[in-house]
Amino acid sequence: MWKRKALKKKVRSSIRQSYWRMAAVCFIIAVLTTAYPISTTFINLQTAPGPRLSDAAFAPDLPNSEVISQTIGLFIDRSPLSGLFGGTVANMSHLIIDLYSTSISVFFNALRALNAFFTRSLGMAAILVAAGAVFTFLYQIFISNILQVGEKRFFLEIRSYRQTPVSKIFFLYKLRYIFHPAWVMFCRSFFQTLWNLTIIGGIIKRYEYSMIPFILAENPKISKRDAFFLSRQLTQRNKWKLFLLDLSFAGWKLLSILTLGIFDFVIVNPYITGCRSELYLTLRRNYVLSRSPRYERLNDSYLEHVPSEDELLISKALYDDSQGPYTKTTYFAPEQYPVFLFSVQPPFRAVRSPVRPERRYDLCSYILLFFSFSVFGWFLETLIYLIRDGALTDNTLLFGPWLPLYGILGILILLLTKRIIKKPVRVFFVNFFIYTVLEYILNLTSDLILGYPFRDYSEFLLNLNGRVYVGSSISFALLGCAFLYYLAPQWTELFMKVGRSKRIALCVILCALFAVDAALTIIVAFS
């Protein structure tokens, strides 16, 4: 048996001890996976040419409600429907759809592709829309779903291990064990979508499938059949209680909407996710103790039993090195889960020396990192525009495949965050400030010289003179953290494998190409 009040009391105690880590994880998941639509809807609220709600950092061309309207219009004459459902009812339905749905969705991007094939001629435009839908499908399966399992793993561990790192959300990538959990999560999403067509069945199955991400977080090797079976067993006779638990969060969600999603980021998401994790552990404990069918698949006892130092030493002495490489490369981190005892071990080639973000960079490294991050930014924006609009981006100043804004941002982050590199929260806010100032200056300069800004954000609600807006700054602040803590050190290690003379020659060639590209851009702009 479990009670909501006792559940929430335990979570509040846990949050007080590990608040910043929980909030950081939910924030990253909200931005990267759109698992919390309300959190990111308002920072991307578009007000022109009409209210558009989106939960993606780069807002889609049409919100989900408009996509549904277009699809219905392909098969049904909209004139009688508009008379029946027009006005306030239609606006409210659109608002609800956009608030509680995500644009990074196989379902909605399939509808976008369907609309494109019926409304456009079969040419490059339709092919690009289809390609965007395919990329969204892959993103949903191999990134969004996997990160959501990682989020559940973080919350399951931090309850007993207070120093659980935020990077735990990437644990399946570190284990090189992705395809099986991705398949199980895809089946969950697919079946849920089919049941949603029945409405009532969709609500019931939402609760019945709710434990699958937690089960995968505990045992990624579990079969699809066992995962669905155990989730069904854990929620049996508990669905009404789960519904009441969700209903008890209604006031918090209303407060989040009134604060434009800010309260969601700060308090609500960590609190709700923590409650659901505590609930899973409670249901799991009761199920294992009762020796119910297939209970042995819930095989991670260390989620609740924190081993002593003597137990760890004995376990390590008895550990078979052939099962995994962690005994030779890791130590017993205080208040962290003993990873060498986890049921899934990475291949030997996947275990590397830890990344050192505090390392020093020479001049050649700075130049190569500038161009690497610029090219990375160009590729990233091209992919985002393909997914978002089904078109290739033309939002570049130069002719070459690089965006200097990314490179400048990366170098400034490396130079200005040296003293606070061990404090990720401060680094994030510094990155936010650096990007906001940098893009504002870029758009202001472009407006003064060319007569138009490089990027115009005037259609967004939370913008500053149309030259910068909150959603973009948040996205780039997170990207800057990824560059500082992972990309820059890894890329530099690769650069160091090349001889010094070759690195210098490469720097000279890249600088020359960039200078020629900049000169051609200026000539074309003023001709």
Side-chain angles (χ1 to χ4, degrees):
M1 296 295 292
W2 56 278
K3 295 182 179 180
R4 293 192 302 276
K5 290 184 179 179
L7 199 72
K8 293 180 178 180
K9 185 177 180 181
K10 291 181 181 179
V11 173
R12 285 194 289 269
S13 174
S14 178
I15 287 179
R16 281 195 293 269
Q17 299 180 44
S18 309
Y19 168 73
W20 285 111
R21 282 189 174 88
M22 291 183 175
V25 164
C26 288
F27 179 81
I28 294 171
I29 294 298
V31 174
L32 295 183
T33 71
T34 63
Y36 306 101
I38 294 178
S39 303
T40 50
T41 291
F42 290 97
I43 63 174
N44 297 289
L45 178 60
Q46 293 176 277
T47 57
R52 294 184 177 184
L53 288 167
S54 170
D55 55 302
F58 294 83
D61 184 49
L62 283 177
N64 292 336
S65 57
E66 291 296 329
V67 172
I68 291 177
S69 297
Q70 280 191 359
T71 306
I72 293 174
L74 293 175
F75 306 100
I76 303 174
D77 183 9
R78 283 182 289 181
S79 55
L81 288 177
S82 60
L84 184 61
F85 298 107
T88 305
V89 175
N91 292 334
M92 287 299 296
S93 63
H94 284 196
L95 179 66
I96 291 172
I97 290 172
D98 292 326
L99 274 176
Y100 291 97
S101 65
T102 168
S103 60
I104 304 179
S105 163
V106 176
F107 174 73
F108 283 104
N109 280 276
L111 291 185
R112 285 184 171 89
L114 178 68
N115 295 343
F117 276 104
F118 275 100
T119 58
R120 303 182 188 180
S121 58
L122 290 179
M124 183 57 66
I127 293 174
L128 290 176
V129 171
V134 171
F135 278 116
T136 303
F137 176 75
L138 296 176
Y139 181 92
Q140 182 77 26
I141 293 177
F142 295 110
I143 297 180
S144 181
N145 287 345
I146 296 298
L147 288 179
Q148 288 180 51
V149 173
E151 178 198 32
K152 305 304 184 289
R153 182 69 198 184
F154 170 86
F155 273 87
L156 292 178
E157 285 191 17
I158 203 168
R159 177 182 179 272
S160 301
Y161 304 91
R162 302 303 181 193
Q163 297 302 317
T164 301
V166 173
S167 61
K168 183 62 69 172
I169 60 178
F170 304 106
F171 87 108
L172 287 174
Y173 295 107
K174 293 179 180 179
L175 296 177
R176 300 293 196 272
Y177 198 79
I178 298 173
F179 291 101
H180 179 69
W183 165 247
V184 177
M185 288 292 288
F186 166 74
C187 291
R188 172 182 179 257
S189 300
F190 179 72
F191 295 148
Q192 181 67 61
T193 300
L194 294 180
W195 278 107
N196 285 343
L197 299 176
T198 66
I199 303 178
I200 300 299
I203 296 174
I204 294 173
K205 291 298 179 179
R206 175 181 178 273
Y207 291 107
E208 185 174 302
Y209 297 159
S210 62
M211 297 299 157
I212 291 177
F214 292 99
I215 294 170
L216 286 172
E218 178 176 356
N219 182 9
K221 285 186 174 181
I222 193 169
S223 67
K224 175 179 73 67
R225 183 178 180 180
D226 286 343
F228 277 80
F229 173 81
L230 287 172
S231 182
R232 184 166 57 251
Q233 292 296 103
L234 291 176
T235 57
Q236 191 174 22
R237 299 190 182 91
N238 285 306
K239 296 182 183 67
W240 177 249
K241 291 183 178 180
L242 289 171
F243 172 76
L244 293 178
L245 179 65
D246 282 348
L247 196 62
S248 68
F249 299 133
W252 295 102
K253 285 298 182 181
L254 178 60
L255 189 58
S256 296
I257 294 174
L258 295 177
T259 58
L260 302 183
I262 295 175
F263 205 69
D264 234 27
F265 279 125
V266 177
I267 295 292
V268 179
N269 291 338
Y271 180 55
I272 293 178
T273 307
C275 283
R276 289 171 178 162
S277 301
E278 185 67 38
L279 171 62
Y280 170 75
L281 289 172
T282 301
L283 296 175
R284 172 199 177 279
R285 185 187 312 115
N286 296 336
Y287 194 80
V288 171
L289 290 175
S290 64
R291 298 295 190 266
S292 298
R294 307 184 202 178
Y295 78 93
E296 64 276 3
R297 305 293 192 276
L298 304 175
N299 57 5
D300 195 349
S301 61
Y302 294 105
L303 288 175
E304 296 193 82
H305 168 63
V306 180
S308 65
E309 187 174 345
D310 290 340
E311 288 180 278
L312 287 173
L313 290 172
I314 294 172
S315 299
K316 192 168 185 179
L318 298 175
Y319 182 75
D320 182 4
D321 287 348
S322 65
Q323 295 178 6
Y326 272 147
T327 51
K328 298 180 180 179
T329 61
T330 61
Y331 60 95
F332 300 142
E335 297 191 39
Q336 289 190 25
Y337 180 90
V339 291
F340 75 95
L341 295 177
F342 190 53
S343 59
V344 179
Q345 290 289 292
F348 282 86
R349 66 180 183 277
V351 179
R352 303 173 182 174
S353 300
V355 177
R356 295 186 298 110
E358 69 279 1
R359 64 169 298 152
R360 294 185 178 183
Y361 301 93
D362 57 17
L363 180 60
C364 279
S365 295
Y366 278 119
I367 294 174
L368 292 173
L369 286 174
F370 168 82
F371 285 106
S372 298
F373 204 40
S374 298
V375 173
F376 174 81
W378 178 87
F379 176 79
L380 180 64
E381 290 210 3
T382 300
L383 186 60
I384 288 172
Y385 273 82
L386 181 62
I387 294 175
R388 190 194 77 173
D389 297 332
L392 299 177
T393 178
D394 58 355
N395 196 16
T396 58
L397 285 174
L398 303 175
F399 294 101
W402 42 40
L403 286 173
L405 177 64
Y406 284 79
I408 296 172
L409 175 66
I411 299 305
L412 287 176
I413 288 172
L414 291 177
L415 294 174
L416 299 178
T417 60
K418 288 182 178 180
R419 295 185 178 181
I420 59 171
I421 199 167
K422 294 184 178 180
K423 299 179 179 179
V425 176
R426 291 189 184 181
V427 169
F428 172 82
F429 285 109
V430 170
N431 291 351
F432 183 93
F433 177 78
I434 292 173
Y435 173 78
T436 301
V437 172
L438 185 63
E439 185 166 50
Y440 190 91
I441 293 174
L442 173 66
N443 285 326
L444 177 62
T445 304
S446 175
D447 200 3
L448 293 175
I449 296 176
L450 302 177
Y452 57 89
F454 174 56
R455 286 176 173 148
D456 185 7
Y457 298 117
S458 56
E459 64 183 20
F460 289 90
L461 176 65
L462 302 177
N463 75 85
L464 181 61
N465 296 331
R467 297 189 176 100
V468 70
Y469 91 106
V470 173
S472 178
S473 296
I474 289 175
S475 300
F476 274 89
L478 282 175
L479 190 60
C481 289
F483 176 75
L484 175 66
Y485 290 107
Y486 184 77
L487 296 179
Q490 290 283 11
W491 288 346
T492 303
E493 288 294 329
L494 293 176
F495 299 152
M496 289 301 176
K497 294 180 181 179
V498 181
R500 179 175 176 80
S501 58
K502 292 181 179 179
R503 288 195 295 128
I504 293 175
L506 181 60
C507 289
V508 172
I509 293 172
L510 288 173
C511 289
L513 290 174
F514 185 78
V516 171
D517 196 348
L520 290 174
T521 301
I522 293 173
I523 292 172
V524 171
F526 289 97
S527 60

